[in-house]
Amino acid sequence: AGDGHGVRPDGPRPGRGVVVGVRPGHVPPGRGDHGGAEGDRWLRKGMAIYRAQLPEQILGDGGHFELSPMYHALVLEELLDVWNLAQAAGQELPEFLHEVQSWQPRLLQMRAWLAAMTPPDGTLAHFNDTTQGQSATTLELDDYAQRLG
């Protein structure tokens, strides 16, 4: 359940945002939350970080550069959260929505990479620091992505 836009009522998972470096809650405060000039600065700063870090951290095959399914799942969920926020703020922040929508091919690649790294039991493969329960599962992320459209 959420606010009608699919925004999670429990907020982001603890520890999120450490891999890409932006917590989704810091990205879109802008005009939609009466943030005025300060909110716009946060939005510009957050999106500049994504612009710089996504090409660096997401490899050509859609995998996260750490090659850890858990880190990959954390980053994918973060990006889906930002997509969700952009959709909710779309009418007030159309440039934000347009930029985030340009991530769609990358998000599809990331989902495919994670699916390829998921064993038949649905858990995350135990590579490069991956532990269970620290991130959403592949099934949860696919469900989230499908709800976002």
Side-chain angles (χ1 to χ4, degrees):
D3 70 351
H5 296 288
V7 176
R8 295 165 180 249
D10 58 342
R13 231 177 265 285
R16 297 269 324 288
V18 297
V19 181
V20 166
V22 178
R23 291 190 180 276
H26 293 163
V27 173
R31 295 171 225 124
D33 285 302
H34 310 289
E38 182 177 353
D40 288 344
R41 278 192 303 275
W42 276 106
L43 177 60
R44 284 191 307 275
K45 183 175 184 169
M47 292 309 293
I49 292 170
Y50 281 117
R51 256 181 247 112
Q53 290 299 309
L54 286 178
E56 186 174 316
Q57 293 193 25
I58 307 305
L59 304 173
D61 66 356
H64 183 264
F65 79 106
E66 294 280 356
L67 301 178
S68 164
M70 180 184 73
Y71 294 158
H72 183 95
L74 289 168
V75 171
L76 178 55
E77 186 176 15
E78 177 178 323
L79 297 175
L80 291 172
D81 284 345
V82 175
W83 182 288
N84 193 357
L85 292 167
Q87 286 183 325
Q91 290 182 16
E92 293 187 40
L93 299 168
E95 66 284 354
F96 172 50
L97 177 61
H98 178 72
E99 183 167 354
V100 172
Q101 286 174 333
S102 74
W103 299 352
Q104 187 171 19
R106 188 181 314 264
L107 294 175
L108 290 171
Q109 283 184 307
M110 290 180 73
R111 289 175 61 200
W113 186 93
L114 189 59
M117 293 298 293
T118 301
D121 68 1
T123 62
L124 296 178
H126 289 258
F127 294 110
N128 300 336
D129 297 333
T130 297
T131 60
Q132 301 304 315
Q134 298 301 307
S135 66
T137 66
T138 303
L139 182 60
E140 290 168 332
L141 290 170
D142 278 343
D143 179 61
Y144 187 21
Q146 288 175 6
R147 285 185 283 123
L148 293 175

PDB file of all heavy atoms in Angstrom, residues 19 63-77 110 113-119 123-132 134-138 141:
ATOM      1  N   VAL A  19      25.680   3.010  -2.041  1.00  0.00           N
ATOM      2  CA  VAL A  19      26.456   2.537  -3.180  1.00  0.00           C
ATOM      3  C   VAL A  19      26.507   3.604  -4.263  1.00  0.00           C
ATOM      4  O   VAL A  19      27.571   4.005  -4.703  1.00  0.00           O
ATOM      5  CB  VAL A  19      25.905   1.198  -3.712  1.00  0.00           C
ATOM      6  CG1 VAL A  19      26.731   0.708  -4.873  1.00  0.00           C
ATOM      7  CG2 VAL A  19      25.906   0.163  -2.595  1.00  0.00           C
ATOM      8  N   GLY A  63      25.113  -4.895 -15.056  1.00  0.00           N
ATOM      9  CA  GLY A  63      25.546  -5.232 -13.706  1.00  0.00           C
ATOM     10  C   GLY A  63      26.184  -4.051 -13.002  1.00  0.00           C
ATOM     11  O   GLY A  63      26.759  -3.167 -13.635  1.00  0.00           O
ATOM     12  N   HIS A  64      26.086  -4.048 -11.681  1.00  0.00           N
ATOM     13  CA  HIS A  64      26.749  -3.027 -10.881  1.00  0.00           C
ATOM     14  C   HIS A  64      28.241  -3.339 -10.832  1.00  0.00           C
ATOM     15  O   HIS A  64      28.636  -4.498 -10.757  1.00  0.00           O
ATOM     16  CB  HIS A  64      26.150  -2.999  -9.468  1.00  0.00           C
ATOM     17  CG  HIS A  64      26.726  -1.927  -8.611  1.00  0.00           C
ATOM     18  ND1 HIS A  64      27.760  -2.163  -7.740  1.00  0.00           N
ATOM     19  CD2 HIS A  64      26.436  -0.608  -8.526  1.00  0.00           C
ATOM     20  CE1 HIS A  64      28.079  -1.022  -7.140  1.00  0.00           C
ATOM     21  NE2 HIS A  64      27.292  -0.070  -7.600  1.00  0.00           N
ATOM     22  N   PHE A  65      29.088  -2.333 -10.847  1.00  0.00           N
ATOM     23  CA  PHE A  65      30.529  -2.552 -10.970  1.00  0.00           C
ATOM     24  C   PHE A  65      31.129  -3.376  -9.834  1.00  0.00           C
ATOM     25  O   PHE A  65      32.186  -3.979  -9.998  1.00  0.00           O
ATOM     26  CB  PHE A  65      31.273  -1.222 -11.134  1.00  0.00           C
ATOM     27  CG  PHE A  65      31.495  -0.452  -9.855  1.00  0.00           C
ATOM     28  CD1 PHE A  65      32.754  -0.406  -9.279  1.00  0.00           C
ATOM     29  CD2 PHE A  65      30.458   0.242  -9.250  1.00  0.00           C
ATOM     30  CE1 PHE A  65      32.970   0.311  -8.114  1.00  0.00           C
ATOM     31  CE2 PHE A  65      30.663   0.958  -8.085  1.00  0.00           C
ATOM     32  CZ  PHE A  65      31.924   0.991  -7.516  1.00  0.00           C
ATOM     33  N   GLU A  66      30.488  -3.446  -8.678  1.00  0.00           N
ATOM     34  CA  GLU A  66      30.986  -4.274  -7.575  1.00  0.00           C
ATOM     35  C   GLU A  66      30.748  -5.768  -7.835  1.00  0.00           C
ATOM     36  O   GLU A  66      31.296  -6.603  -7.144  1.00  0.00           O
ATOM     37  CB  GLU A  66      30.321  -3.878  -6.256  1.00  0.00           C
ATOM     38  CG  GLU A  66      30.675  -2.500  -5.768  1.00  0.00           C
ATOM     39  CD  GLU A  66      32.027  -2.441  -5.066  1.00  0.00           C
ATOM     40  OE1 GLU A  66      32.678  -3.489  -4.885  1.00  0.00           O
ATOM     41  OE2 GLU A  66      32.429  -1.322  -4.713  1.00  0.00           O
ATOM     42  N   LEU A  67      29.881  -6.075  -8.798  1.00  0.00           N
ATOM     43  CA  LEU A  67      29.520  -7.453  -9.157  1.00  0.00           C
ATOM     44  C   LEU A  67      28.978  -8.236  -7.962  1.00  0.00           C
ATOM     45  O   LEU A  67      29.159  -9.445  -7.857  1.00  0.00           O
ATOM     46  CB  LEU A  67      30.706  -8.181  -9.807  1.00  0.00           C
ATOM     47  CG  LEU A  67      31.226  -7.520 -11.084  1.00  0.00           C
ATOM     48  CD1 LEU A  67      32.423  -8.278 -11.624  1.00  0.00           C
ATOM     49  CD2 LEU A  67      30.131  -7.397 -12.121  1.00  0.00           C
ATOM     50  N   SER A  68      28.292  -7.534  -7.103  1.00  0.00           N
ATOM     51  CA  SER A  68      27.624  -8.129  -5.952  1.00  0.00           C
ATOM     52  C   SER A  68      26.124  -8.082  -6.192  1.00  0.00           C
ATOM     53  O   SER A  68      25.562  -6.992  -6.351  1.00  0.00           O
ATOM     54  CB  SER A  68      27.956  -7.328  -4.677  1.00  0.00           C
ATOM     55  OG  SER A  68      27.063  -7.647  -3.639  1.00  0.00           O
ATOM     56  N   PRO A  69      25.455  -9.228  -6.235  1.00  0.00           N
ATOM     57  CA  PRO A  69      24.000  -9.196  -6.417  1.00  0.00           C
ATOM     58  C   PRO A  69      23.280  -8.348  -5.359  1.00  0.00           C
ATOM     59  O   PRO A  69      22.298  -7.679  -5.671  1.00  0.00           O
ATOM     60  CB  PRO A  69      23.598 -10.671  -6.344  1.00  0.00           C
ATOM     61  CG  PRO A  69      24.812 -11.385  -6.853  1.00  0.00           C
ATOM     62  CD  PRO A  69      25.976 -10.599  -6.284  1.00  0.00           C
ATOM     63  N   MET A  70      23.785  -8.356  -4.121  1.00  0.00           N
ATOM     64  CA  MET A  70      23.142  -7.564  -3.076  1.00  0.00           C
ATOM     65  C   MET A  70      23.305  -6.064  -3.346  1.00  0.00           C
ATOM     66  O   MET A  70      22.327  -5.313  -3.291  1.00  0.00           O
ATOM     67  CB  MET A  70      23.727  -7.907  -1.706  1.00  0.00           C
ATOM     68  CG  MET A  70      23.098  -7.126  -0.561  1.00  0.00           C
ATOM     69  SD  MET A  70      23.893  -7.486   1.014  1.00  0.00           S
ATOM     70  CE  MET A  70      25.450  -6.626   0.819  1.00  0.00           C
ATOM     71  N   TYR A  71      24.531  -5.614  -3.639  1.00  0.00           N
ATOM     72  CA  TYR A  71      24.730  -4.200  -3.946  1.00  0.00           C
ATOM     73  C   TYR A  71      23.915  -3.813  -5.183  1.00  0.00           C
ATOM     74  O   TYR A  71      23.333  -2.734  -5.243  1.00  0.00           O
ATOM     75  CB  TYR A  71      26.200  -3.881  -4.198  1.00  0.00           C
ATOM     76  CG  TYR A  71      27.107  -4.030  -3.007  1.00  0.00           C
ATOM     77  CD1 TYR A  71      28.470  -4.210  -3.182  1.00  0.00           C
ATOM     78  CD2 TYR A  71      26.630  -4.000  -1.700  1.00  0.00           C
ATOM     79  CE1 TYR A  71      29.332  -4.346  -2.108  1.00  0.00           C
ATOM     80  CE2 TYR A  71      27.473  -4.140  -0.615  1.00  0.00           C
ATOM     81  CZ  TYR A  71      28.823  -4.312  -0.825  1.00  0.00           C
ATOM     82  OH  TYR A  71      29.673  -4.438   0.233  1.00  0.00           O
ATOM     83  N   HIS A  72      23.900  -4.695  -6.154  1.00  0.00           N
ATOM     84  CA  HIS A  72      23.135  -4.468  -7.375  1.00  0.00           C
ATOM     85  C   HIS A  72      21.651  -4.269  -7.039  1.00  0.00           C
ATOM     86  O   HIS A  72      21.020  -3.325  -7.525  1.00  0.00           O
ATOM     87  CB  HIS A  72      23.312  -5.665  -8.321  1.00  0.00           C
ATOM     88  CG  HIS A  72      22.636  -5.491  -9.626  1.00  0.00           C
ATOM     89  ND1 HIS A  72      23.279  -5.005 -10.738  1.00  0.00           N
ATOM     90  CD2 HIS A  72      21.360  -5.742 -10.005  1.00  0.00           C
ATOM     91  CE1 HIS A  72      22.432  -4.960 -11.749  1.00  0.00           C
ATOM     92  NE2 HIS A  72      21.257  -5.406 -11.329  1.00  0.00           N
ATOM     93  N   ALA A  73      21.113  -5.150  -6.201  1.00  0.00           N
ATOM     94  CA  ALA A  73      19.700  -5.047  -5.816  1.00  0.00           C
ATOM     95  C   ALA A  73      19.430  -3.752  -5.053  1.00  0.00           C
ATOM     96  O   ALA A  73      18.394  -3.116  -5.254  1.00  0.00           O
ATOM     97  CB  ALA A  73      19.288  -6.262  -4.986  1.00  0.00           C
ATOM     98  N   LEU A  74      20.356  -3.345  -4.190  1.00  0.00           N
ATOM     99  CA  LEU A  74      20.185  -2.095  -3.448  1.00  0.00           C
ATOM    100  C   LEU A  74      20.145  -0.894  -4.400  1.00  0.00           C
ATOM    101  O   LEU A  74      19.309   0.000  -4.255  1.00  0.00           O
ATOM    102  CB  LEU A  74      21.307  -1.922  -2.423  1.00  0.00           C
ATOM    103  CG  LEU A  74      21.260  -2.855  -1.220  1.00  0.00           C
ATOM    104  CD1 LEU A  74      22.566  -2.783  -0.437  1.00  0.00           C
ATOM    105  CD2 LEU A  74      20.073  -2.529  -0.323  1.00  0.00           C
ATOM    106  N   VAL A  75      21.058  -0.872  -5.359  1.00  0.00           N
ATOM    107  CA  VAL A  75      21.095   0.234  -6.316  1.00  0.00           C
ATOM    108  C   VAL A  75      19.855   0.215  -7.206  1.00  0.00           C
ATOM    109  O   VAL A  75      19.238   1.259  -7.447  1.00  0.00           O
ATOM    110  CB  VAL A  75      22.385   0.191  -7.156  1.00  0.00           C
ATOM    111  CG1 VAL A  75      22.332   1.209  -8.292  1.00  0.00           C
ATOM    112  CG2 VAL A  75      23.593   0.453  -6.272  1.00  0.00           C
ATOM    113  N   LEU A  76      19.460  -0.960  -7.669  1.00  0.00           N
ATOM    114  CA  LEU A  76      18.266  -1.057  -8.505  1.00  0.00           C
ATOM    115  C   LEU A  76      17.039  -0.557  -7.747  1.00  0.00           C
ATOM    116  O   LEU A  76      16.230   0.210  -8.289  1.00  0.00           O
ATOM    117  CB  LEU A  76      18.055  -2.497  -8.980  1.00  0.00           C
ATOM    118  CG  LEU A  76      16.814  -2.756  -9.831  1.00  0.00           C
ATOM    119  CD1 LEU A  76      16.764  -1.851 -11.055  1.00  0.00           C
ATOM    120  CD2 LEU A  76      16.765  -4.225 -10.238  1.00  0.00           C
ATOM    121  N   GLU A  77      16.906  -0.940  -6.497  1.00  0.00           N
ATOM    122  CA  GLU A  77      15.763  -0.463  -5.720  1.00  0.00           C
ATOM    123  C   GLU A  77      15.819   1.052  -5.538  1.00  0.00           C
ATOM    124  O   GLU A  77      14.803   1.742  -5.624  1.00  0.00           O
ATOM    125  CB  GLU A  77      15.693  -1.155  -4.356  1.00  0.00           C
ATOM    126  CG  GLU A  77      14.439  -0.784  -3.592  1.00  0.00           C
ATOM    127  CD  GLU A  77      14.295  -1.528  -2.287  1.00  0.00           C
ATOM    128  OE1 GLU A  77      15.260  -2.138  -1.802  1.00  0.00           O
ATOM    129  OE2 GLU A  77      13.175  -1.475  -1.731  1.00  0.00           O
ATOM    130  N   MET A 110      19.514  -3.826 -15.898  1.00  0.00           N
ATOM    131  CA  MET A 110      19.816  -4.170 -14.505  1.00  0.00           C
ATOM    132  C   MET A 110      18.911  -5.289 -14.016  1.00  0.00           C
ATOM    133  O   MET A 110      19.357  -6.200 -13.312  1.00  0.00           O
ATOM    134  CB  MET A 110      19.681  -2.936 -13.609  1.00  0.00           C
ATOM    135  CG  MET A 110      20.764  -1.900 -13.835  1.00  0.00           C
ATOM    136  SD  MET A 110      20.569  -0.463 -12.752  1.00  0.00           S
ATOM    137  CE  MET A 110      21.091  -1.197 -11.180  1.00  0.00           C
ATOM    138  N   TRP A 113      20.159  -8.544 -15.587  1.00  0.00           N
ATOM    139  CA  TRP A 113      21.394  -9.001 -14.955  1.00  0.00           C
ATOM    140  C   TRP A 113      21.069  -9.681 -13.624  1.00  0.00           C
ATOM    141  O   TRP A 113      21.580 -10.755 -13.327  1.00  0.00           O
ATOM    142  CB  TRP A 113      22.352  -7.829 -14.741  1.00  0.00           C
ATOM    143  CG  TRP A 113      23.707  -8.226 -14.235  1.00  0.00           C
ATOM    144  CD1 TRP A 113      24.808  -8.482 -14.997  1.00  0.00           C
ATOM    145  CD2 TRP A 113      24.109  -8.414 -12.872  1.00  0.00           C
ATOM    146  NE1 TRP A 113      25.880  -8.815 -14.183  1.00  0.00           N
ATOM    147  CE2 TRP A 113      25.466  -8.789 -12.877  1.00  0.00           C
ATOM    148  CE3 TRP A 113      23.461  -8.308 -11.652  1.00  0.00           C
ATOM    149  CZ2 TRP A 113      26.185  -9.051 -11.713  1.00  0.00           C
ATOM    150  CZ3 TRP A 113      24.171  -8.572 -10.486  1.00  0.00           C
ATOM    151  CH2 TRP A 113      25.514  -8.939 -10.532  1.00  0.00           C
ATOM    152  N   LEU A 114      20.200  -9.048 -12.834  1.00  0.00           N
ATOM    153  CA  LEU A 114      19.857  -9.619 -11.534  1.00  0.00           C
ATOM    154  C   LEU A 114      19.129 -10.948 -11.708  1.00  0.00           C
ATOM    155  O   LEU A 114      19.394 -11.907 -10.978  1.00  0.00           O
ATOM    156  CB  LEU A 114      19.026  -8.642 -10.713  1.00  0.00           C
ATOM    157  CG  LEU A 114      18.788  -9.026  -9.264  1.00  0.00           C
ATOM    158  CD1 LEU A 114      20.104  -9.198  -8.505  1.00  0.00           C
ATOM    159  CD2 LEU A 114      17.909  -7.990  -8.575  1.00  0.00           C
ATOM    160  N   ALA A 115      18.244 -11.030 -12.682  1.00  0.00           N
ATOM    161  CA  ALA A 115      17.534 -12.293 -12.937  1.00  0.00           C
ATOM    162  C   ALA A 115      18.522 -13.395 -13.311  1.00  0.00           C
ATOM    163  O   ALA A 115      18.393 -14.542 -12.853  1.00  0.00           O
ATOM    164  CB  ALA A 115      16.500 -12.105 -14.048  1.00  0.00           C
ATOM    165  N   ALA A 116      19.533 -13.050 -14.108  1.00  0.00           N
ATOM    166  CA  ALA A 116      20.529 -14.050 -14.499  1.00  0.00           C
ATOM    167  C   ALA A 116      21.372 -14.505 -13.314  1.00  0.00           C
ATOM    168  O   ALA A 116      21.883 -15.629 -13.302  1.00  0.00           O
ATOM    169  CB  ALA A 116      21.438 -13.478 -15.591  1.00  0.00           C
ATOM    170  N   MET A 117      21.489 -13.652 -12.298  1.00  0.00           N
ATOM    171  CA  MET A 117      22.300 -13.968 -11.124  1.00  0.00           C
ATOM    172  C   MET A 117      21.474 -14.578  -9.986  1.00  0.00           C
ATOM    173  O   MET A 117      21.987 -14.791  -8.897  1.00  0.00           O
ATOM    174  CB  MET A 117      22.998 -12.704 -10.612  1.00  0.00           C
ATOM    175  CG  MET A 117      24.037 -12.167 -11.565  1.00  0.00           C
ATOM    176  SD  MET A 117      25.390 -13.324 -11.854  1.00  0.00           S
ATOM    177  CE  MET A 117      26.153 -13.369 -10.250  1.00  0.00           C
ATOM    178  N   THR A 118      20.211 -14.829 -10.247  1.00  0.00           N
ATOM    179  CA  THR A 118      19.325 -15.370  -9.211  1.00  0.00           C
ATOM    180  C   THR A 118      19.154 -16.870  -9.411  1.00  0.00           C
ATOM    181  O   THR A 118      18.676 -17.305 -10.455  1.00  0.00           O
ATOM    182  CB  THR A 118      17.947 -14.669  -9.268  1.00  0.00           C
ATOM    183  OG1 THR A 118      18.155 -13.260  -9.082  1.00  0.00           O
ATOM    184  CG2 THR A 118      17.017 -15.178  -8.191  1.00  0.00           C
ATOM    185  N   PRO A 119      19.545 -17.679  -8.407  1.00  0.00           N
ATOM    186  CA  PRO A 119      19.377 -19.131  -8.530  1.00  0.00           C
ATOM    187  C   PRO A 119      17.896 -19.516  -8.465  1.00  0.00           C
ATOM    188  O   PRO A 119      17.044 -18.693  -8.105  1.00  0.00           O
ATOM    189  CB  PRO A 119      20.159 -19.684  -7.340  1.00  0.00           C
ATOM    190  CG  PRO A 119      20.303 -18.563  -6.382  1.00  0.00           C
ATOM    191  CD  PRO A 119      20.195 -17.288  -7.160  1.00  0.00           C
ATOM    192  N   THR A 123      16.778 -16.777  -4.083  1.00  0.00           N
ATOM    193  CA  THR A 123      17.660 -15.977  -3.232  1.00  0.00           C
ATOM    194  C   THR A 123      18.699 -15.288  -4.095  1.00  0.00           C
ATOM    195  O   THR A 123      18.853 -15.593  -5.278  1.00  0.00           O
ATOM    196  CB  THR A 123      18.370 -16.868  -2.190  1.00  0.00           C
ATOM    197  OG1 THR A 123      19.185 -17.817  -2.893  1.00  0.00           O
ATOM    198  CG2 THR A 123      17.366 -17.583  -1.301  1.00  0.00           C
ATOM    199  N   LEU A 124      19.418 -14.372  -3.514  1.00  0.00           N
ATOM    200  CA  LEU A 124      20.511 -13.733  -4.243  1.00  0.00           C
ATOM    201  C   LEU A 124      21.725 -14.650  -4.206  1.00  0.00           C
ATOM    202  O   LEU A 124      22.025 -15.257  -3.176  1.00  0.00           O
ATOM    203  CB  LEU A 124      20.857 -12.385  -3.617  1.00  0.00           C
ATOM    204  CG  LEU A 124      19.766 -11.315  -3.677  1.00  0.00           C
ATOM    205  CD1 LEU A 124      20.227 -10.056  -2.967  1.00  0.00           C
ATOM    206  CD2 LEU A 124      19.384 -11.002  -5.114  1.00  0.00           C
ATOM    207  N   ALA A 125      22.421 -14.735  -5.322  1.00  0.00           N
ATOM    208  CA  ALA A 125      23.631 -15.548  -5.387  1.00  0.00           C
ATOM    209  C   ALA A 125      24.679 -14.971  -4.434  1.00  0.00           C
ATOM    210  O   ALA A 125      24.821 -13.759  -4.316  1.00  0.00           O
ATOM    211  CB  ALA A 125      24.164 -15.576  -6.813  1.00  0.00           C
ATOM    212  N   HIS A 126      25.389 -15.843  -3.758  1.00  0.00           N
ATOM    213  CA  HIS A 126      26.355 -15.424  -2.735  1.00  0.00           C
ATOM    214  C   HIS A 126      27.712 -15.098  -3.351  1.00  0.00           C
ATOM    215  O   HIS A 126      28.669 -15.860  -3.233  1.00  0.00           O
ATOM    216  CB  HIS A 126      26.493 -16.517  -1.670  1.00  0.00           C
ATOM    217  CG  HIS A 126      25.285 -16.615  -0.808  1.00  0.00           C
ATOM    218  ND1 HIS A 126      25.217 -16.102   0.451  1.00  0.00           N
ATOM    219  CD2 HIS A 126      24.062 -17.135  -1.064  1.00  0.00           C
ATOM    220  CE1 HIS A 126      24.018 -16.315   0.961  1.00  0.00           C
ATOM    221  NE2 HIS A 126      23.297 -16.948   0.049  1.00  0.00           N
ATOM    222  N   PHE A 127      27.793 -13.932  -3.998  1.00  0.00           N
ATOM    223  CA  PHE A 127      29.035 -13.434  -4.561  1.00  0.00           C
ATOM    224  C   PHE A 127      29.327 -12.068  -3.965  1.00  0.00           C
ATOM    225  O   PHE A 127      28.418 -11.284  -3.720  1.00  0.00           O
ATOM    226  CB  PHE A 127      28.935 -13.264  -6.087  1.00  0.00           C
ATOM    227  CG  PHE A 127      28.760 -14.538  -6.846  1.00  0.00           C
ATOM    228  CD1 PHE A 127      27.563 -14.824  -7.466  1.00  0.00           C
ATOM    229  CD2 PHE A 127      29.797 -15.452  -6.939  1.00  0.00           C
ATOM    230  CE1 PHE A 127      27.393 -15.992  -8.172  1.00  0.00           C
ATOM    231  CE2 PHE A 127      29.635 -16.629  -7.639  1.00  0.00           C
ATOM    232  CZ  PHE A 127      28.439 -16.906  -8.259  1.00  0.00           C
ATOM    233  N   ASN A 128      30.594 -11.775  -3.737  1.00  0.00           N
ATOM    234  CA  ASN A 128      31.060 -10.417  -3.429  1.00  0.00           C
ATOM    235  C   ASN A 128      30.223  -9.701  -2.366  1.00  0.00           C
ATOM    236  O   ASN A 128      29.548  -8.719  -2.658  1.00  0.00           O
ATOM    237  CB  ASN A 128      31.126  -9.586  -4.705  1.00  0.00           C
ATOM    238  CG  ASN A 128      32.064 -10.178  -5.710  1.00  0.00           C
ATOM    239  OD1 ASN A 128      32.983 -10.912  -5.340  1.00  0.00           O
ATOM    240  ND2 ASN A 128      31.845  -9.905  -6.979  1.00  0.00           N
ATOM    241  N   ASP A 129      30.276 -10.183  -1.176  1.00  0.00           N
ATOM    242  CA  ASP A 129      29.637  -9.571   0.008  1.00  0.00           C
ATOM    243  C   ASP A 129      28.136  -9.791   0.107  1.00  0.00           C
ATOM    244  O   ASP A 129      27.507  -9.250   1.015  1.00  0.00           O
ATOM    245  CB  ASP A 129      29.892  -8.061   0.081  1.00  0.00           C
ATOM    246  CG  ASP A 129      31.348  -7.684   0.228  1.00  0.00           C
ATOM    247  OD1 ASP A 129      32.109  -8.498   0.776  1.00  0.00           O
ATOM    248  OD2 ASP A 129      31.711  -6.578  -0.198  1.00  0.00           O
ATOM    249  N   THR A 130      27.524 -10.519  -0.783  1.00  0.00           N
ATOM    250  CA  THR A 130      26.077 -10.694  -0.739  1.00  0.00           C
ATOM    251  C   THR A 130      25.670 -11.539   0.461  1.00  0.00           C
ATOM    252  O   THR A 130      26.231 -12.597   0.712  1.00  0.00           O
ATOM    253  CB  THR A 130      25.566 -11.357  -2.032  1.00  0.00           C
ATOM    254  OG1 THR A 130      25.838 -10.483  -3.117  1.00  0.00           O
ATOM    255  CG2 THR A 130      24.068 -11.632  -1.966  1.00  0.00           C
ATOM    256  N   THR A 131      24.700 -11.025   1.190  1.00  0.00           N
ATOM    257  CA  THR A 131      24.042 -11.771   2.255  1.00  0.00           C
ATOM    258  C   THR A 131      22.548 -11.626   2.050  1.00  0.00           C
ATOM    259  O   THR A 131      22.084 -10.687   1.400  1.00  0.00           O
ATOM    260  CB  THR A 131      24.432 -11.250   3.656  1.00  0.00           C
ATOM    261  OG1 THR A 131      24.046  -9.873   3.760  1.00  0.00           O
ATOM    262  CG2 THR A 131      25.920 -11.374   3.919  1.00  0.00           C
ATOM    263  N   GLN A 132      21.794 -12.528   2.602  1.00  0.00           N
ATOM    264  CA  GLN A 132      20.344 -12.498   2.444  1.00  0.00           C
ATOM    265  C   GLN A 132      19.727 -11.513   3.442  1.00  0.00           C
ATOM    266  O   GLN A 132      20.242 -11.304   4.535  1.00  0.00           O
ATOM    267  CB  GLN A 132      19.753 -13.892   2.645  1.00  0.00           C
ATOM    268  CG  GLN A 132      20.305 -14.936   1.685  1.00  0.00           C
ATOM    269  CD  GLN A 132      20.149 -14.566   0.223  1.00  0.00           C
ATOM    270  OE1 GLN A 132      19.099 -14.113  -0.213  1.00  0.00           O
ATOM    271  NE2 GLN A 132      21.221 -14.752  -0.547  1.00  0.00           N
ATOM    272  N   GLN A 134      19.345  -8.248   3.283  1.00  0.00           N
ATOM    273  CA  GLN A 134      19.823  -6.863   3.307  1.00  0.00           C
ATOM    274  C   GLN A 134      19.267  -6.040   2.154  1.00  0.00           C
ATOM    275  O   GLN A 134      19.401  -4.821   2.149  1.00  0.00           O
ATOM    276  CB  GLN A 134      21.354  -6.833   3.265  1.00  0.00           C
ATOM    277  CG  GLN A 134      22.008  -7.504   4.444  1.00  0.00           C
ATOM    278  CD  GLN A 134      21.594  -6.858   5.761  1.00  0.00           C
ATOM    279  OE1 GLN A 134      21.707  -5.650   5.933  1.00  0.00           O
ATOM    280  NE2 GLN A 134      21.087  -7.664   6.678  1.00  0.00           N
ATOM    281  N   SER A 135      18.679  -6.708   1.196  1.00  0.00           N
ATOM    282  CA  SER A 135      18.104  -6.025   0.035  1.00  0.00           C
ATOM    283  C   SER A 135      16.827  -6.753  -0.362  1.00  0.00           C
ATOM    284  O   SER A 135      16.558  -7.857   0.096  1.00  0.00           O
ATOM    285  CB  SER A 135      19.097  -6.033  -1.130  1.00  0.00           C
ATOM    286  OG  SER A 135      19.306  -7.354  -1.575  1.00  0.00           O
ATOM    287  N   ALA A 136      16.094  -6.116  -1.232  1.00  0.00           N
ATOM    288  CA  ALA A 136      14.903  -6.765  -1.781  1.00  0.00           C
ATOM    289  C   ALA A 136      15.337  -7.947  -2.647  1.00  0.00           C
ATOM    290  O   ALA A 136      16.454  -7.981  -3.161  1.00  0.00           O
ATOM    291  CB  ALA A 136      14.115  -5.764  -2.623  1.00  0.00           C
ATOM    292  N   THR A 137      14.457  -8.898  -2.811  1.00  0.00           N
ATOM    293  CA  THR A 137      14.733 -10.043  -3.674  1.00  0.00           C
ATOM    294  C   THR A 137      14.469  -9.664  -5.131  1.00  0.00           C
ATOM    295  O   THR A 137      13.834  -8.637  -5.422  1.00  0.00           O
ATOM    296  CB  THR A 137      13.827 -11.239  -3.319  1.00  0.00           C
ATOM    297  OG1 THR A 137      12.469 -10.890  -3.631  1.00  0.00           O
ATOM    298  CG2 THR A 137      13.948 -11.625  -1.848  1.00  0.00           C
ATOM    299  N   THR A 138      14.924 -10.499  -6.035  1.00  0.00           N
ATOM    300  CA  THR A 138      14.677 -10.274  -7.459  1.00  0.00           C
ATOM    301  C   THR A 138      13.180 -10.207  -7.730  1.00  0.00           C
ATOM    302  O   THR A 138      12.704  -9.331  -8.459  1.00  0.00           O
ATOM    303  CB  THR A 138      15.334 -11.391  -8.290  1.00  0.00           C
ATOM    304  OG1 THR A 138      16.725 -11.419  -7.975  1.00  0.00           O
ATOM    305  CG2 THR A 138      15.134 -11.166  -9.767  1.00  0.00           C
ATOM    306  N   LEU A 141      11.766  -6.889  -6.521  1.00  0.00           N
ATOM    307  CA  LEU A 141      12.161  -5.788  -7.400  1.00  0.00           C
ATOM    308  C   LEU A 141      11.418  -5.841  -8.730  1.00  0.00           C
ATOM    309  O   LEU A 141      11.009  -4.794  -9.256  1.00  0.00           O
ATOM    310  CB  LEU A 141      13.672  -5.789  -7.619  1.00  0.00           C
ATOM    311  CG  LEU A 141      14.479  -5.403  -6.380  1.00  0.00           C
ATOM    312  CD1 LEU A 141      15.954  -5.674  -6.599  1.00  0.00           C
ATOM    313  CD2 LEU A 141      14.233  -3.958  -5.991  1.00  0.00           C
TER     314      LEU A 141
END
